[in-house]
Amino acid sequence: MRIGSVEINPGALLAPMEAVTDLPFRTVCEELGAALTFTEFLSAEALTRGAVKAVGRMWPSLGGRRFAVQIFGRETGALARAAAMAVDVGAAIVDINMGCPAKKVTAGACGSALMREPELAAELVAAVRAAVPAEVPVTVKHRAGWDESSLNAAEFARRLVDAGAAMITVHGRTRAQGFSGAARLPPIAEVRAALPREIPVVGNGDVKDVEAHERMRRETGCDAVMIGRGAMGNPWLFRTLAALARGAPDPGPPTLAERLARRRVWRRHAGLVLEHSPEKMRLHELRKTLAWYSRGLYGGSALRQRASSTGAPAALIDLGEAFFAGLETAGAGPDAGAPLTTPADPVAKAVARHGRRIGLGPMEAQEPRIEQSIEERADTCLRAAS
């Protein structure tokens, strides 16, 4: 797929998500096959006044990988300056958010509120197009419409393309829906039919597995699919979709060994958090990684409960190591005839319950070790990830 002068490898795109698509998560998804990743959506006004938090989220991808920066606002000057800043840090694409349904965004008549002002929306696209080099595509992500009475995605998209947009991403819900209900595919298909073939249309909404991805492609005719919440804790989905896009066989659902390999991906993600996340955010981000990668695994609930009361990054790393080590021990299938112990540790208890269900033997609890410094734990984690 080509977006202007930028050629994108086969596979799915990672959607921009606030407090989710930070540098560590983008990196994990890129390494597992995401065709393109987007930063969290960033306020153009905050960027242009040099707000540390906003500027810090515009971090380039590691290893020179291409990435897109998503910005939002309703002032042409601010959006143009923010777009130029994005190009300065290496963005291959500048994306304008016209789809966010959050009240804090739409209250300022930004995000999906712009779908009620198509003329202004087109002016914003034109301003950004004029502010960045010709080889940097300007793209837009918007929704099916503001509400049920204004499903104007196709007409809205045409205006944006006429103003200079090189790609349109459509989320199949209205602003009024937020993230409730089901994403609709007909509005995405209408946008695809309304635009020239050289303008890629990307479908977004409710794609959490291969079946949903194939349905999105089949029923909308979209050129690619963008995955948001479906990637949280499941970045392996990008690997599968990239393989299918290349014409390779469907790898199928993860085997037990691959599910247990979450430990390796979690280590990589946690190591990136320790290396790149602001210090005051590390606890929160590490807890989030544990929640994501333990989802659906035995003992995950107990792990998340314990992580919420653990107050040091080093202790969270140890907690995760103990949890995943326990799962790997259970998955290895020790002597089924040996007696089971009932450890006091809640995580080990959960793993022991798993063992009883499938006839496994004993497994000792691993208590967190917090004698190492955070820096030492970071080094250990990064060495393990590499």
Side-chain angles (χ1 to χ4, degrees):
M1 183 176 76
R2 297 189 66 87
I3 307 171
S5 61
V6 177
E7 185 171 344
I8 301 298
N9 293 329
L13 288 63
L14 174 66
M17 293 177 282
E18 186 181 22
V20 174
T21 52
D22 56 7
L23 179 62
F25 186 54
R26 283 167 42 208
T27 301
V28 169
C29 292
E30 288 164 352
E31 292 175 350
L32 285 170
L36 181 71
T37 67
F38 291 68
T39 64
E40 302 171 64
F41 75 109
L42 307 173
S43 163
E45 189 275 332
L47 287 173
T48 55
R49 61 180 167 81
V52 174
K53 186 175 181 180
V55 174
R57 290 176 172 173
M58 199 166 56
W59 197 262
S61 290
L62 302 180
R65 299 186 189 92
R66 286 180 303 192
F67 69 103
V69 168
Q70 190 185 72
I71 55 179
F72 74 91
R74 61 179 286 108
E75 300 295 333
T76 56
L79 274 173
R81 291 192 297 274
M85 292 174 65
V87 174
D88 286 344
V89 301
I93 292 171
V94 176
D95 188 70
I96 305 174
N97 183 310
M98 297 187 183
C100 179
K103 289 183 179 179
K104 67 178 181 179
V105 174
T106 58
C110 301
S112 57
L114 288 167
M115 295 197 72
R116 298 190 293 181
E117 300 181 82
E119 291 185 8
L120 173 59
E123 290 176 12
L124 296 173
V125 171
V128 172
R129 177 65 276 166
V132 302
E135 66 271 16
V136 177
V138 176
T139 63
V140 179
K141 184 172 188 283
H142 63 76
R143 290 202 158 217
W146 175 259
D147 56 24
E148 298 295 328
S149 64
S150 56
L151 298 174
N152 62 335
E155 178 185 353
F156 189 73
R158 278 196 298 265
R159 283 179 175 257
L160 303 183
V161 169
D162 289 344
M167 181 180 80
I168 299 293
T169 300
V170 185
H171 183 106
R173 290 182 174 87
T174 64
R175 186 272 170 185
Q177 281 182 277
F179 291 100
S180 64
R184 309 173 195 203
L185 302 187
I188 302 172
E190 290 167 7
V191 171
R192 176 61 283 171
L195 299 183
R197 288 305 310 179
E198 66 269 18
I199 302 296
V201 172
V202 178
N204 176 229
D206 293 345
V207 177
K208 298 180 180 180
D209 52 33
V210 172
E211 182 180 0
H213 174 271
E214 295 305 302
R215 178 171 177 256
M216 174 74 77
R217 293 294 302 267
R218 182 177 63 253
E219 296 188 16
T220 69
C222 65
D223 302 277
V225 172
M226 180 177 281
I227 297 176
R229 292 173 292 170
M232 294 164 59
N234 186 27
W236 295 273
L237 182 56
F238 290 109
R239 180 187 63 180
T240 297
L241 297 179
L244 291 174
R246 293 192 302 267
D250 183 354
T255 64
L256 174 61
E258 287 173 325
R259 290 198 299 271
L260 295 178
R262 293 190 195 198
R263 182 184 193 179
R264 178 179 59 80
V265 179
W266 167 75
R267 276 178 173 170
R268 174 62 171 156
H269 197 160
L272 289 163
V273 167
L274 290 171
E275 185 177 6
H276 295 287
S277 295
E279 185 174 358
K280 66 180 181 179
M281 292 297 295
R282 287 176 190 163
L283 271 176
H284 173 74
E285 295 301 322
L286 287 173
R287 286 172 181 149
K288 190 162 63 178
T289 66
L290 289 173
W292 285 357
Y293 295 106
S294 67
R295 188 170 57 195
L297 296 179
Y298 284 102
S301 177
L303 174 70
R304 294 188 288 274
Q305 185 177 35
R306 184 167 178 181
S308 67
S309 60
T310 299
L316 286 172
I317 294 294
D318 277 326
L319 188 61
E321 290 288 357
F323 173 76
F324 288 108
L327 288 177
E328 290 178 2
T329 301
D335 182 11
L340 281 165
T341 60
T342 307
D345 180 83
V347 175
K349 276 185 178 179
V351 175
R353 286 196 296 274
H354 170 46
R356 281 195 290 273
R357 287 188 180 96
I358 60 175
L360 299 179
M363 179 175 55
E364 295 180 358
Q366 299 184 43
E367 291 295 333
R369 295 173 290 103
I370 58 174
E371 66 273 10
Q372 286 180 298
S373 68
I374 293 175
E375 291 75 14
E376 289 172 330
R377 291 300 300 160
D379 290 341
T380 300
C381 183
L382 291 170
R383 284 197 301 271
S386 63

